[in-house]
Structures are given as C-alpha cells and as structure tokens.
Amino acid sequence: CNDYHFGLEEGEGISELFDCD
Amino acid sequence: PPQTPVRAAMNTIQHLMNSLAAASDKPSSTLISYFNNCTSNPTNDILERVNHLGKIFKERFAEAVGQGCAEIGFERFKVGVRLTYRVMESMLKSEEQRLSVQNFSKLLNDSAFHKSLLGCSIEVVMATYGRSAFDGISRETDLSFPWILEVFKIKPYDFYKVIESFIKAEPSLTREMIKHLESCEHRIMETLAWQSDSPIFELIRQSRDREGQVDQPEPTSC
C-alpha cells in the first residue's frame, strides 16, 4: 500500500474520528 | 504468466478466503474481553446488529440479483462479518497501544462505527467477487460502492472515517483492494459527503463557532 495517502496525523486515530477522545 | 479474467478473479477470491481461513464469524475471546471492559457492554447490541443487517443484506442482495441467489448473498455477508471482527480486534489493539486505555465503551457502542466497519468489510468482499459471476446484470442492480451505504443506511462521511484505519489494520489487503477503497474515499469526499443530510455541515459550523465568527460575511459569489 505504498502509494496510498495516509492522512491521519500523529495522535489521531479511529477514537478521535468518532469523537471518543 | 498472464491470467485470464476468470483465473484472476478466482485467484483474488482464493486470496481473500485463505486470509480469512482462521477468522471466526463470532467475536474472539480477545474481542469479548474488550467488550467486557466497556462501561456499557456492547456485546448484545453488536450481535443483534449483525443479525439484523444480515437479514437486510440477504433480502437486498436477492432483490438485486435474483431470489435464487439469496443464500449466495448471505454467504458473502458472513465472510464480511469474519473480516469485520478481525479488523475490529486489530484496531482496538492499536488504539490500546496508542492511547494506553482498555475501555472503548463510546466507540464500541457507536452504531455508526460498527455499521461503517461492517459496511467496509462487505465492500471488500463484494469488490473481490466483482460482477463476473452475474453476466447480464443491469446498471440498476450494480452492487458496487456506494450500494452498501444505502443498504445499511450508512452516512458516507462515517464510512469515510473507517477507511484509513481499516487499511492500516488489515495487512492482507491487496494493492488493488486498497486502490478500490481509496477510490471510495475520493468519491465520498468529492460528492457523497456533501449530500444535504451529511454530518459534515454541522461539523464545519461547530469548527467555525469554536474559532470565532468571521467579521465579514462571504460574498455570495463564493
């Protein structure tokens, strides 16, 4: 998957995306 | 050696089935312990949701492809469930390492998260099988993305949120499958996330409120 653009930054994950932090 | 389209499709399907050989269609003991660690145990809701969405998927698949294919649809759904539980466990392990927490109550009780994860897994299965087995299928019965969003009533923006974590959590995904999921991301961000009922508009409003009001309203030409 070396040409997939990973957009999540350091400290970001699924928990933050679903407002669970 | 070059493969015929049928051989290539069969190899792709075989790869998926091989990678899921050890995966169960029930939560593992590790997943169950994550569920038990939650402030509010999500186990029953998760199992009931899988059951409910399985019935819906089977009906909609049969409607689209033919009543004689209902069981084929249900078999594909079950493959998706196995992938879902495996990815969910992998995601929770990563989050536990990243955040040093073991109580994922809010995440695991979020139906949007579970439906989006299941939807993404089913999309992987559907894209793997493709349409080669159903020659003559009309455009109206196209089962490729975003069909699954409509079947499970998943908001495109929520589906978008699981894609990158899904790719990180599932190393068996082929390059072609990752490109397919990436194309789903692009389609969501370009079009689907901007439908009138999308949560994105409220998030933009909240973000703007947190940063303070702009002094001048934007001209209508913008």
Side-chain angles (χ1 to χ4, degrees):
Chain A
C1 56
N2 41 7
D3 51 355
Y4 173 80
H5 171 69
F6 290 95
L8 289 175
E9 294 175 358
E10 192 68 36
E12 281 183 334
I14 196 76
S15 299
E16 287 79 10
L17 291 176
F18 281 90
D19 199 25
C20 302
D21 52 348
Chain B
Q3 296 177 349
T4 65
V6 171
R7 173 51 56 187
M10 288 172 68
N11 285 346
T12 307
I13 292 165
Q14 198 57 49
H15 172 83
L16 176 71
M17 298 312 288
N18 288 346
S19 74
L20 290 173
S24 169
D25 63 354
K26 303 280 182 291
S28 65
S29 54
T30 304
L31 260 187
I32 291 288
S33 78
Y34 278 120
F35 295 169
N36 289 338
N37 280 340
C38 291
T39 309
S40 175
N41 196 318
T43 309
N44 286 345
D45 283 350
I46 285 174
L47 294 176
E48 279 173 16
R49 192 174 299 119
V50 169
N51 199 29
H52 173 66
L53 292 177
K55 292 188 178 121
I56 289 178
F57 184 86
K58 188 176 174 180
E59 274 169 24
R60 294 295 301 268
F61 188 93
E63 260 172 47
V65 177
Q67 290 303 323
C69 298
E71 284 309 315
I72 293 175
F74 194 56
E75 288 304 312
R76 294 198 187 172
F77 177 80
K78 286 193 289 188
V79 174
V81 170
R82 288 156 65 193
L83 181 56
T84 300
Y85 284 136
R86 185 163 80 189
V87 171
M88 185 187 284
E89 183 173 327
S90 175
M91 279 186 182
L92 294 175
K93 282 177 177 168
S94 296
E95 290 294 274
E96 183 181 11
Q97 264 194 320
R98 186 174 69 87
L99 300 170
S100 303
V101 300
Q102 284 158 341
N103 180 347
F104 295 104
S105 192
K106 196 163 180 212
L107 184 68
L108 291 171
N109 281 289
D110 188 341
S111 62
F113 166 68
H114 182 212
K115 282 203 305 185
S116 299
L117 197 57
L118 183 57
C120 193
S121 300
I122 303 285
E123 180 59 31
V124 167
V125 176
M126 298 299 281
T128 296
Y129 279 90
R131 293 168 50 184
S132 58
F134 299 102
D135 287 334
I137 203 170
S138 69
R139 188 175 283 275
E140 287 75 36
T141 52
D142 187 354
L143 307 185
S144 60
F145 186 81
W147 180 76
I148 194 62
L149 301 187
E150 202 282 315
V151 172
F152 286 171
K153 303 281 181 273
I154 300 169
K155 289 200 157 54
Y157 186 65
D158 288 332
F159 189 88
Y160 174 90
K161 290 193 278 188
V162 303
I163 293 176
E164 181 169 331
S165 300
F166 190 103
I167 291 171
K168 280 183 181 165
E170 185 54 39
S172 77
L173 293 176
T174 62
R175 185 179 177 277
E176 287 72 24
M177 190 52 62
I178 291 169
K179 295 312 283 183
H180 173 68
L181 291 177
E182 192 175 37
S183 75
C184 297
E185 273 187 335
H186 293 166
R187 199 157 163 199
I188 292 171
M189 274 298 122
E190 286 165 10
T191 308
L192 301 175
W194 302 100
Q195 290 162 351
S196 58
D197 60 345
S198 175
I200 205 169
F201 297 107
E202 178 60 20
L203 291 168
I204 291 171
R205 192 193 64 76
Q206 286 172 7
S207 173
R208 199 174 56 191
D209 287 350
R210 274 197 300 273
E211 290 164 19
Q213 292 286 0
V214 292
D215 294 327
Q216 297 291 330
E218 290 183 21
T220 48
S221 59
C222 295

